[in-house]
Amino acid sequence: MAIVYRAKGNIYLNLTNRCSSDCCFCVAGFSSGIYGYGLRLESEPEVDEVLHDLEAEFLEGPAAEVVFCGFGEPTMRLDAILKITEWLKLRRIPSRLDTNGHGSLINPGRDVPGELARAGLDRASVSLVAHNSEVYNQLSRPVFSKAFRAVLQFAAGCIKEGIKVRLTVVDLPEVDIEACRSLAKKMGADFYVRPLISAGSEETED
Ligand code: SF4
């Protein structure tokens, strides 16, 4: 079971297995890990434990960036993200949050983009999933109603706070890729189409 793992020149952090979506394309639906690491947690790690493992990992060599990712939605542990991001910022280590964009729904009453920016988060990769709420709900099966609108607001909020944002979609027939690309462009975000990872396929998530 890995809390800190390395792939593609980055270090990834697996803080939680909880999620507010149940995406039809989620790797956790058919695999217990990725890149050869087991990502099913027995319990969620404390911040001190993560920082200890992170320090040990950096002794093995540098990384292009540290990514909050893993098998779950990282903003389920917003306070842990903030503390770890501050730790990274102090050391001038670039950070990225891979998120389903539900951060403000999961943490109501908080200015999540603002808090992330003040902690020093550099980049956010936000899973747009689809071009409209109907297809979004069909593919992502979120626990929240109006999640699609919240994802767009979260991404726009991050951009406003100076966090560099990338919107991502998975290459599925239901998704209008060009409409998603144009949404990203209008917002001032980068755009990335992920190949579908299925059981037995190459692991290509970044
Ligand atoms: S948001 Fe991510 S972790 Fe959550 S179900 Fe979807 S793909 Fe899986």
Side-chain angles (χ1 to χ4, degrees):
M1 177 270 281
I3 298 166
V4 174
Y5 57 102
R6 236 178 228 277
K8 315 226 162 194
N10 297 328
I11 292 176
Y12 292 80
L13 304 181
N14 181 31
L15 297 183
T16 183
N17 287 165
R18 291 178 289 143
C19 190
S20 50
S21 297
D22 177 22
C23 303
C24 64
F25 50 81
C26 184
V27 179
F30 58 84
S31 171
S32 58
I34 195 164
Y35 305 129
Y37 298 96
L39 296 182
R40 294 217 189 280
L41 296 165
E42 280 149 28
S43 60
E44 294 186 345
E46 298 293 334
V47 170
D48 287 352
E49 195 182 346
V50 179
L51 294 179
H52 175 273
D53 288 6
L54 199 47
E55 246 173 348
E57 193 57 52
F58 271 110
L59 292 178
E60 303 291 318
E65 61 185 348
V66 172
V67 186
F68 297 95
C69 185
F71 260 12
E73 168 48 36
T75 60
M76 287 281 179
R77 300 210 50 210
L78 179 60
D79 289 324
I81 293 175
L82 295 173
K83 283 185 194 145
I84 296 164
T85 302
E86 281 167 8
W87 186 94
L88 292 167
K89 198 69 189 173
L90 271 175
R91 288 157 183 80
R92 301 179 185 211
I93 300 167
S95 55
R96 184 179 95 207
L97 168 65
D98 283 9
T99 177
N100 65 7
H102 295 180
S104 301
L105 296 171
I106 293 167
N107 302 276
R110 291 179 66 170
D111 170 17
V112 180
E115 289 190 53
L116 290 168
R118 287 189 286 282
L121 186 76
D122 296 295
R123 301 208 295 143
S125 183
V126 180
S127 179
L128 178 65
V129 178
H131 51 286
N132 64 32
S133 58
E134 286 73 26
V135 182
Y136 181 91
N137 289 338
Q138 180 196 332
L139 298 178
S140 193
R141 301 177 292 204
V143 298
F144 301 109
S145 59
K146 303 194 178 141
F148 183 68
R149 194 189 331 161
V151 171
L152 293 174
Q153 283 171 346
F154 180 83
C158 287
I159 291 171
K160 193 168 156 229
E161 292 290 345
I163 297 168
K164 194 163 172 42
V165 170
R166 175 180 75 168
L167 296 184
T168 69
V169 295
V170 172
D171 194 5
L172 290 167
E174 296 89 338
V175 179
D176 182 337
I177 303 281
E178 289 317 309
C180 294
R181 190 191 308 279
S182 126
L183 260 173
K185 192 173 174 196
K186 213 171 359 168
M187 186 181 282
D190 291 337
F191 183 64
Y192 178 66
V193 183
R194 282 181 202 286
L196 176 66
I197 304 176
S198 52
S201 69
E202 289 288 310
E203 294 168 346
T204 53
E205 204 165 321
D206 73 340

PDB file of all heavy atoms in Angstrom, residues 16-29 69-74 98-102 127 129 136 139-141 170 194 205, ligand 1:
ATOM      1  N   THR A  16      -6.130   9.635   0.205  1.00  0.00           N
ATOM      2  CA  THR A  16      -7.456   9.098   0.574  1.00  0.00           C
ATOM      3  C   THR A  16      -7.985   8.187  -0.522  1.00  0.00           C
ATOM      4  O   THR A  16      -7.615   8.348  -1.690  1.00  0.00           O
ATOM      5  CB  THR A  16      -8.456  10.261   0.807  1.00  0.00           C
ATOM      6  OG1 THR A  16      -9.706   9.719   1.231  1.00  0.00           O
ATOM      7  CG2 THR A  16      -8.687  11.092  -0.446  1.00  0.00           C
ATOM      8  N   ASN A  17      -8.851   7.272  -0.152  1.00  0.00           N
ATOM      9  CA  ASN A  17      -9.568   6.463  -1.148  1.00  0.00           C
ATOM     10  C   ASN A  17     -11.030   6.908  -1.245  1.00  0.00           C
ATOM     11  O   ASN A  17     -11.814   6.320  -1.984  1.00  0.00           O
ATOM     12  CB  ASN A  17      -9.521   4.977  -0.793  1.00  0.00           C
ATOM     13  CG  ASN A  17      -8.157   4.344  -1.031  1.00  0.00           C
ATOM     14  OD1 ASN A  17      -7.908   3.260  -0.544  1.00  0.00           O
ATOM     15  ND2 ASN A  17      -7.273   4.997  -1.773  1.00  0.00           N
ATOM     16  N   ARG A  18     -11.399   7.935  -0.478  1.00  0.00           N
ATOM     17  CA  ARG A  18     -12.782   8.415  -0.547  1.00  0.00           C
ATOM     18  C   ARG A  18     -12.963   9.294  -1.793  1.00  0.00           C
ATOM     19  O   ARG A  18     -12.032   9.987  -2.191  1.00  0.00           O
ATOM     20  CB  ARG A  18     -13.122   9.235   0.702  1.00  0.00           C
ATOM     21  CG  ARG A  18     -13.211   8.397   1.965  1.00  0.00           C
ATOM     22  CD  ARG A  18     -13.509   9.270   3.161  1.00  0.00           C
ATOM     23  NE  ARG A  18     -12.379  10.112   3.530  1.00  0.00           N
ATOM     24  CZ  ARG A  18     -12.465  11.359   3.971  1.00  0.00           C
ATOM     25  NH1 ARG A  18     -13.643  11.937   4.096  1.00  0.00           N
ATOM     26  NH2 ARG A  18     -11.390  12.059   4.302  1.00  0.00           N
ATOM     27  N   CYS A  19     -14.151   9.267  -2.344  1.00  0.00           N
ATOM     28  CA  CYS A  19     -14.412  10.112  -3.515  1.00  0.00           C
ATOM     29  C   CYS A  19     -15.885  10.476  -3.579  1.00  0.00           C
ATOM     30  O   CYS A  19     -16.741   9.723  -3.110  1.00  0.00           O
ATOM     31  CB  CYS A  19     -13.999   9.397  -4.806  1.00  0.00           C
ATOM     32  SG  CYS A  19     -14.054  10.525  -6.218  1.00  0.00           S
ATOM     33  N   SER A  20     -16.146  11.633  -4.163  1.00  0.00           N
ATOM     34  CA  SER A  20     -17.528  12.103  -4.311  1.00  0.00           C
ATOM     35  C   SER A  20     -18.086  11.767  -5.688  1.00  0.00           C
ATOM     36  O   SER A  20     -19.178  12.215  -6.037  1.00  0.00           O
ATOM     37  CB  SER A  20     -17.574  13.616  -4.075  1.00  0.00           C
ATOM     38  OG  SER A  20     -16.581  14.256  -4.859  1.00  0.00           O
ATOM     39  N   SER A  21     -17.310  11.026  -6.477  1.00  0.00           N
ATOM     40  CA  SER A  21     -17.794  10.550  -7.774  1.00  0.00           C
ATOM     41  C   SER A  21     -17.678   9.039  -7.809  1.00  0.00           C
ATOM     42  O   SER A  21     -17.042   8.418  -6.941  1.00  0.00           O
ATOM     43  CB  SER A  21     -16.949  11.127  -8.924  1.00  0.00           C
ATOM     44  OG  SER A  21     -17.058  12.514  -8.985  1.00  0.00           O
ATOM     45  N   ASP A  22     -18.265   8.478  -8.822  1.00  0.00           N
ATOM     46  CA  ASP A  22     -18.162   7.032  -9.050  1.00  0.00           C
ATOM     47  C   ASP A  22     -18.036   6.849 -10.565  1.00  0.00           C
ATOM     48  O   ASP A  22     -18.925   6.306 -11.219  1.00  0.00           O
ATOM     49  CB  ASP A  22     -19.431   6.355  -8.487  1.00  0.00           C
ATOM     50  CG  ASP A  22     -19.436   4.865  -8.738  1.00  0.00           C
ATOM     51  OD1 ASP A  22     -18.353   4.289  -8.942  1.00  0.00           O
ATOM     52  OD2 ASP A  22     -20.545   4.282  -8.770  1.00  0.00           O
ATOM     53  N   CYS A  23     -16.922   7.363 -11.088  1.00  0.00           N
ATOM     54  CA  CYS A  23     -16.768   7.444 -12.548  1.00  0.00           C
ATOM     55  C   CYS A  23     -16.734   6.058 -13.188  1.00  0.00           C
ATOM     56  O   CYS A  23     -16.081   5.147 -12.663  1.00  0.00           O
ATOM     57  CB  CYS A  23     -15.486   8.190 -12.907  1.00  0.00           C
ATOM     58  SG  CYS A  23     -15.400   9.848 -12.225  1.00  0.00           S
ATOM     59  N   CYS A  24     -17.380   5.954 -14.332  1.00  0.00           N
ATOM     60  CA  CYS A  24     -17.411   4.660 -15.023  1.00  0.00           C
ATOM     61  C   CYS A  24     -16.013   4.287 -15.523  1.00  0.00           C
ATOM     62  O   CYS A  24     -15.742   3.126 -15.784  1.00  0.00           O
ATOM     63  CB  CYS A  24     -18.406   4.700 -16.172  1.00  0.00           C
ATOM     64  SG  CYS A  24     -17.946   5.858 -17.451  1.00  0.00           S
ATOM     65  N   PHE A  25     -15.105   5.285 -15.633  1.00  0.00           N
ATOM     66  CA  PHE A  25     -13.761   5.027 -16.157  1.00  0.00           C
ATOM     67  C   PHE A  25     -12.703   4.964 -15.055  1.00  0.00           C
ATOM     68  O   PHE A  25     -11.515   4.934 -15.330  1.00  0.00           O
ATOM     69  CB  PHE A  25     -13.370   6.115 -17.172  1.00  0.00           C
ATOM     70  CG  PHE A  25     -13.596   7.517 -16.663  1.00  0.00           C
ATOM     71  CD1 PHE A  25     -12.684   8.129 -15.823  1.00  0.00           C
ATOM     72  CD2 PHE A  25     -14.740   8.216 -17.021  1.00  0.00           C
ATOM     73  CE1 PHE A  25     -12.897   9.408 -15.356  1.00  0.00           C
ATOM     74  CE2 PHE A  25     -14.968   9.507 -16.559  1.00  0.00           C
ATOM     75  CZ  PHE A  25     -14.047  10.104 -15.722  1.00  0.00           C
ATOM     76  N   CYS A  26     -13.129   4.938 -13.785  1.00  0.00           N
ATOM     77  CA  CYS A  26     -12.164   5.000 -12.675  1.00  0.00           C
ATOM     78  C   CYS A  26     -11.308   3.730 -12.603  1.00  0.00           C
ATOM     79  O   CYS A  26     -11.844   2.617 -12.578  1.00  0.00           O
ATOM     80  CB  CYS A  26     -12.906   5.190 -11.355  1.00  0.00           C
ATOM     81  SG  CYS A  26     -11.789   5.386  -9.959  1.00  0.00           S
ATOM     82  N   VAL A  27     -10.011   3.918 -12.560  1.00  0.00           N
ATOM     83  CA  VAL A  27      -9.086   2.776 -12.493  1.00  0.00           C
ATOM     84  C   VAL A  27      -9.343   1.948 -11.230  1.00  0.00           C
ATOM     85  O   VAL A  27      -9.206   0.720 -11.234  1.00  0.00           O
ATOM     86  CB  VAL A  27      -7.613   3.272 -12.514  1.00  0.00           C
ATOM     87  CG1 VAL A  27      -6.641   2.106 -12.433  1.00  0.00           C
ATOM     88  CG2 VAL A  27      -7.349   4.083 -13.770  1.00  0.00           C
ATOM     89  N   ALA A  28      -9.753   2.633 -10.161  1.00  0.00           N
ATOM     90  CA  ALA A  28      -9.998   1.923  -8.888  1.00  0.00           C
ATOM     91  C   ALA A  28     -11.146   0.914  -9.020  1.00  0.00           C
ATOM     92  O   ALA A  28     -11.282   0.022  -8.193  1.00  0.00           O
ATOM     93  CB  ALA A  28     -10.306   2.926  -7.788  1.00  0.00           C
ATOM     94  N   GLY A  29     -11.936   1.055 -10.084  1.00  0.00           N
ATOM     95  CA  GLY A  29     -13.055   0.148 -10.288  1.00  0.00           C
ATOM     96  C   GLY A  29     -12.628  -1.255 -10.713  1.00  0.00           C
ATOM     97  O   GLY A  29     -13.399  -2.202 -10.580  1.00  0.00           O
ATOM     98  N   CYS A  69      -2.867  12.966  -5.886  1.00  0.00           N
ATOM     99  CA  CYS A  69      -3.614  12.157  -6.847  1.00  0.00           C
ATOM    100  C   CYS A  69      -4.146  10.917  -6.153  1.00  0.00           C
ATOM    101  O   CYS A  69      -5.014  11.014  -5.290  1.00  0.00           O
ATOM    102  CB  CYS A  69      -2.678  11.823  -8.015  1.00  0.00           C
ATOM    103  SG  CYS A  69      -3.455  10.947  -9.356  1.00  0.00           S
ATOM    104  N   GLY A  70      -3.610   9.737  -6.437  1.00  0.00           N
ATOM    105  CA  GLY A  70      -3.989   8.512  -5.742  1.00  0.00           C
ATOM    106  C   GLY A  70      -5.354   7.986  -6.133  1.00  0.00           C
ATOM    107  O   GLY A  70      -5.944   8.398  -7.131  1.00  0.00           O
ATOM    108  N   PHE A  71      -5.866   7.070  -5.309  1.00  0.00           N
ATOM    109  CA  PHE A  71      -7.148   6.401  -5.569  1.00  0.00           C
ATOM    110  C   PHE A  71      -8.243   7.075  -4.767  1.00  0.00           C
ATOM    111  O   PHE A  71      -8.757   6.532  -3.791  1.00  0.00           O
ATOM    112  CB  PHE A  71      -7.036   4.942  -5.130  1.00  0.00           C
ATOM    113  CG  PHE A  71      -6.789   3.979  -6.259  1.00  0.00           C
ATOM    114  CD1 PHE A  71      -6.431   4.411  -7.513  1.00  0.00           C
ATOM    115  CD2 PHE A  71      -6.918   2.614  -6.044  1.00  0.00           C
ATOM    116  CE1 PHE A  71      -6.202   3.523  -8.541  1.00  0.00           C
ATOM    117  CE2 PHE A  71      -6.693   1.714  -7.063  1.00  0.00           C
ATOM    118  CZ  PHE A  71      -6.340   2.163  -8.308  1.00  0.00           C
ATOM    119  N   GLY A  72      -8.618   8.288  -5.128  1.00  0.00           N
ATOM    120  CA  GLY A  72      -9.654   8.992  -4.388  1.00  0.00           C
ATOM    121  C   GLY A  72      -9.582  10.463  -4.737  1.00  0.00           C
ATOM    122  O   GLY A  72      -8.727  10.884  -5.526  1.00  0.00           O
ATOM    123  N   GLU A  73     -10.481  11.249  -4.159  1.00  0.00           N
ATOM    124  CA  GLU A  73     -10.499  12.682  -4.434  1.00  0.00           C
ATOM    125  C   GLU A  73      -9.699  13.407  -3.349  1.00  0.00           C
ATOM    126  O   GLU A  73     -10.125  13.452  -2.177  1.00  0.00           O
ATOM    127  CB  GLU A  73     -11.953  13.172  -4.484  1.00  0.00           C
ATOM    128  CG  GLU A  73     -12.129  14.685  -4.468  1.00  0.00           C
ATOM    129  CD  GLU A  73     -11.222  15.410  -5.463  1.00  0.00           C
ATOM    130  OE1 GLU A  73     -10.963  14.908  -6.558  1.00  0.00           O
ATOM    131  OE2 GLU A  73     -10.760  16.511  -5.110  1.00  0.00           O
ATOM    132  N   PRO A  74      -8.544  13.980  -3.703  1.00  0.00           N
ATOM    133  CA  PRO A  74      -7.669  14.580  -2.680  1.00  0.00           C
ATOM    134  C   PRO A  74      -8.337  15.649  -1.820  1.00  0.00           C
ATOM    135  O   PRO A  74      -8.016  15.770  -0.633  1.00  0.00           O
ATOM    136  CB  PRO A  74      -6.519  15.171  -3.502  1.00  0.00           C
ATOM    137  CG  PRO A  74      -6.508  14.381  -4.765  1.00  0.00           C
ATOM    138  CD  PRO A  74      -7.940  14.019  -5.042  1.00  0.00           C
ATOM    139  N   ASP A  98      -4.536  16.917  -8.681  1.00  0.00           N
ATOM    140  CA  ASP A  98      -5.409  16.236  -9.642  1.00  0.00           C
ATOM    141  C   ASP A  98      -6.752  16.032  -8.949  1.00  0.00           C
ATOM    142  O   ASP A  98      -6.828  15.337  -7.934  1.00  0.00           O
ATOM    143  CB  ASP A  98      -4.821  14.882 -10.055  1.00  0.00           C
ATOM    144  CG  ASP A  98      -3.689  15.039 -11.067  1.00  0.00           C
ATOM    145  OD1 ASP A  98      -3.258  16.180 -11.310  1.00  0.00           O
ATOM    146  OD2 ASP A  98      -3.237  14.012 -11.603  1.00  0.00           O
ATOM    147  N   THR A  99      -7.808  16.623  -9.492  1.00  0.00           N
ATOM    148  CA  THR A  99      -9.064  16.688  -8.738  1.00  0.00           C
ATOM    149  C   THR A  99     -10.280  16.513  -9.637  1.00  0.00           C
ATOM    150  O   THR A  99     -10.218  16.810 -10.838  1.00  0.00           O
ATOM    151  CB  THR A  99      -9.151  18.053  -8.008  1.00  0.00           C
ATOM    152  OG1 THR A  99     -10.397  18.142  -7.324  1.00  0.00           O
ATOM    153  CG2 THR A  99      -9.016  19.241  -8.961  1.00  0.00           C
ATOM    154  N   ASN A 100     -11.372  16.068  -9.022  1.00  0.00           N
ATOM    155  CA  ASN A 100     -12.634  16.020  -9.776  1.00  0.00           C
ATOM    156  C   ASN A 100     -13.342  17.386  -9.745  1.00  0.00           C
ATOM    157  O   ASN A 100     -14.426  17.524 -10.298  1.00  0.00           O
ATOM    158  CB  ASN A 100     -13.556  14.904  -9.256  1.00  0.00           C
ATOM    159  CG  ASN A 100     -14.035  15.122  -7.824  1.00  0.00           C
ATOM    160  OD1 ASN A 100     -13.792  16.167  -7.223  1.00  0.00           O
ATOM    161  ND2 ASN A 100     -14.703  14.122  -7.269  1.00  0.00           N
ATOM    162  N   GLY A 101     -12.749  18.348  -9.071  1.00  0.00           N
ATOM    163  CA  GLY A 101     -13.294  19.710  -9.082  1.00  0.00           C
ATOM    164  C   GLY A 101     -14.444  19.930  -8.104  1.00  0.00           C
ATOM    165  O   GLY A 101     -15.105  20.960  -8.135  1.00  0.00           O
ATOM    166  N   HIS A 102     -14.663  18.954  -7.203  1.00  0.00           N
ATOM    167  CA  HIS A 102     -15.759  19.085  -6.227  1.00  0.00           C
ATOM    168  C   HIS A 102     -15.312  19.743  -4.927  1.00  0.00           C
ATOM    169  O   HIS A 102     -16.055  19.710  -3.945  1.00  0.00           O
ATOM    170  CB  HIS A 102     -16.335  17.700  -5.875  1.00  0.00           C
ATOM    171  CG  HIS A 102     -16.994  16.998  -7.010  1.00  0.00           C
ATOM    172  ND1 HIS A 102     -17.564  15.751  -6.889  1.00  0.00           N
ATOM    173  CD2 HIS A 102     -17.181  17.368  -8.310  1.00  0.00           C
ATOM    174  CE1 HIS A 102     -18.071  15.377  -8.046  1.00  0.00           C
ATOM    175  NE2 HIS A 102     -17.846  16.327  -8.931  1.00  0.00           N
ATOM    176  N   SER A 127     -10.781  17.372 -13.628  1.00  0.00           N
ATOM    177  CA  SER A 127     -11.465  16.427 -14.503  1.00  0.00           C
ATOM    178  C   SER A 127     -12.821  17.004 -14.925  1.00  0.00           C
ATOM    179  O   SER A 127     -13.765  17.030 -14.145  1.00  0.00           O
ATOM    180  CB  SER A 127     -11.640  15.106 -13.741  1.00  0.00           C
ATOM    181  OG  SER A 127     -12.322  14.192 -14.549  1.00  0.00           O
ATOM    182  N   VAL A 129     -14.625  15.860 -17.425  1.00  0.00           N
ATOM    183  CA  VAL A 129     -15.393  14.649 -17.766  1.00  0.00           C
ATOM    184  C   VAL A 129     -16.191  14.799 -19.065  1.00  0.00           C
ATOM    185  O   VAL A 129     -16.104  13.949 -19.942  1.00  0.00           O
ATOM    186  CB  VAL A 129     -16.339  14.202 -16.629  1.00  0.00           C
ATOM    187  CG1 VAL A 129     -17.147  12.962 -17.042  1.00  0.00           C
ATOM    188  CG2 VAL A 129     -15.559  13.924 -15.349  1.00  0.00           C
ATOM    189  N   TYR A 136     -22.068  14.468 -18.087  1.00  0.00           N
ATOM    190  CA  TYR A 136     -21.234  14.443 -16.875  1.00  0.00           C
ATOM    191  C   TYR A 136     -21.847  13.508 -15.827  1.00  0.00           C
ATOM    192  O   TYR A 136     -21.162  12.639 -15.274  1.00  0.00           O
ATOM    193  CB  TYR A 136     -21.108  15.869 -16.304  1.00  0.00           C
ATOM    194  CG  TYR A 136     -20.256  15.929 -15.064  1.00  0.00           C
ATOM    195  CD1 TYR A 136     -18.884  16.167 -15.138  1.00  0.00           C
ATOM    196  CD2 TYR A 136     -20.810  15.707 -13.798  1.00  0.00           C
ATOM    197  CE1 TYR A 136     -18.095  16.190 -13.999  1.00  0.00           C
ATOM    198  CE2 TYR A 136     -20.027  15.725 -12.660  1.00  0.00           C
ATOM    199  CZ  TYR A 136     -18.674  15.970 -12.765  1.00  0.00           C
ATOM    200  OH  TYR A 136     -17.893  15.974 -11.631  1.00  0.00           O
ATOM    201  N   LEU A 139     -21.560   9.798 -16.773  1.00  0.00           N
ATOM    202  CA  LEU A 139     -20.228   9.179 -16.726  1.00  0.00           C
ATOM    203  C   LEU A 139     -19.589   9.219 -15.342  1.00  0.00           C
ATOM    204  O   LEU A 139     -18.846   8.329 -14.952  1.00  0.00           O
ATOM    205  CB  LEU A 139     -19.284   9.870 -17.725  1.00  0.00           C
ATOM    206  CG  LEU A 139     -19.671   9.779 -19.202  1.00  0.00           C
ATOM    207  CD1 LEU A 139     -18.672  10.561 -20.045  1.00  0.00           C
ATOM    208  CD2 LEU A 139     -19.719   8.325 -19.656  1.00  0.00           C
ATOM    209  N   SER A 140     -19.894  10.303 -14.619  1.00  0.00           N
ATOM    210  CA  SER A 140     -19.169  10.539 -13.364  1.00  0.00           C
ATOM    211  C   SER A 140     -19.964  10.123 -12.122  1.00  0.00           C
ATOM    212  O   SER A 140     -19.382   9.901 -11.057  1.00  0.00           O
ATOM    213  CB  SER A 140     -18.807  12.025 -13.284  1.00  0.00           C
ATOM    214  OG  SER A 140     -17.889  12.240 -12.281  1.00  0.00           O
ATOM    215  N   ARG A 141     -21.274  10.059 -12.245  1.00  0.00           N
ATOM    216  CA  ARG A 141     -22.176   9.634 -11.164  1.00  0.00           C
ATOM    217  C   ARG A 141     -21.819  10.281  -9.816  1.00  0.00           C
ATOM    218  O   ARG A 141     -21.509   9.609  -8.830  1.00  0.00           O
ATOM    219  CB  ARG A 141     -22.167   8.102 -11.065  1.00  0.00           C
ATOM    220  CG  ARG A 141     -22.611   7.451 -12.378  1.00  0.00           C
ATOM    221  CD  ARG A 141     -22.567   5.974 -12.379  1.00  0.00           C
ATOM    222  NE  ARG A 141     -21.234   5.429 -12.327  1.00  0.00           N
ATOM    223  CZ  ARG A 141     -20.880   4.223 -12.766  1.00  0.00           C
ATOM    224  NH1 ARG A 141     -21.784   3.433 -13.303  1.00  0.00           N
ATOM    225  NH2 ARG A 141     -19.647   3.790 -12.670  1.00  0.00           N
ATOM    226  N   VAL A 170     -11.690  12.086 -20.524  1.00  0.00           N
ATOM    227  CA  VAL A 170     -11.274  10.762 -20.994  1.00  0.00           C
ATOM    228  C   VAL A 170     -11.888  10.556 -22.375  1.00  0.00           C
ATOM    229  O   VAL A 170     -13.011  10.991 -22.646  1.00  0.00           O
ATOM    230  CB  VAL A 170     -11.734   9.676 -19.994  1.00  0.00           C
ATOM    231  CG1 VAL A 170     -11.489   8.283 -20.558  1.00  0.00           C
ATOM    232  CG2 VAL A 170     -10.997   9.835 -18.669  1.00  0.00           C
ATOM    233  N   ARG A 194      -7.298  12.279 -22.004  1.00  0.00           N
ATOM    234  CA  ARG A 194      -6.658  11.058 -21.494  1.00  0.00           C
ATOM    235  C   ARG A 194      -7.156   9.853 -22.275  1.00  0.00           C
ATOM    236  O   ARG A 194      -8.370   9.716 -22.485  1.00  0.00           O
ATOM    237  CB  ARG A 194      -7.108  10.775 -20.058  1.00  0.00           C
ATOM    238  CG  ARG A 194      -6.459  11.593 -19.013  1.00  0.00           C
ATOM    239  CD  ARG A 194      -7.013  11.163 -17.652  1.00  0.00           C
ATOM    240  NE  ARG A 194      -6.838  12.212 -16.690  1.00  0.00           N
ATOM    241  CZ  ARG A 194      -5.670  12.524 -16.147  1.00  0.00           C
ATOM    242  NH1 ARG A 194      -4.591  11.843 -16.465  1.00  0.00           N
ATOM    243  NH2 ARG A 194      -5.569  13.506 -15.298  1.00  0.00           N
ATOM    244  N   GLU A 205      -1.777   7.192 -17.490  1.00  0.00           N
ATOM    245  CA  GLU A 205      -2.207   8.401 -16.778  1.00  0.00           C
ATOM    246  C   GLU A 205      -0.970   9.221 -16.387  1.00  0.00           C
ATOM    247  O   GLU A 205       0.050   8.647 -16.062  1.00  0.00           O
ATOM    248  CB  GLU A 205      -2.975   7.982 -15.523  1.00  0.00           C
ATOM    249  CG  GLU A 205      -3.921   9.040 -15.044  1.00  0.00           C
ATOM    250  CD  GLU A 205      -4.913   8.463 -14.052  1.00  0.00           C
ATOM    251  OE1 GLU A 205      -5.360   7.334 -14.250  1.00  0.00           O
ATOM    252  OE2 GLU A 205      -5.202   9.148 -13.074  1.00  0.00           O
TER     253      GLU A 205
HETATM  254  S1  SF4 B   1     -13.109  11.318  -9.504  1.00  0.00           S
HETATM  255 FE1  SF4 B   1     -11.247  10.129  -9.853  1.00  0.00          FE
HETATM  256  S2  SF4 B   1     -11.042   8.806  -8.040  1.00  0.00           S
HETATM  257 FE2  SF4 B   1     -13.154   9.592  -8.065  1.00  0.00          FE
HETATM  258  S3  SF4 B   1     -14.349   7.987  -9.104  1.00  0.00           S
HETATM  259 FE3  SF4 B   1     -13.737   9.509 -10.652  1.00  0.00          FE
HETATM  260  S4  SF4 B   1     -11.807   8.725 -11.526  1.00  0.00           S
HETATM  261 FE4  SF4 B   1     -12.177   7.634  -9.579  1.00  0.00          FE
END
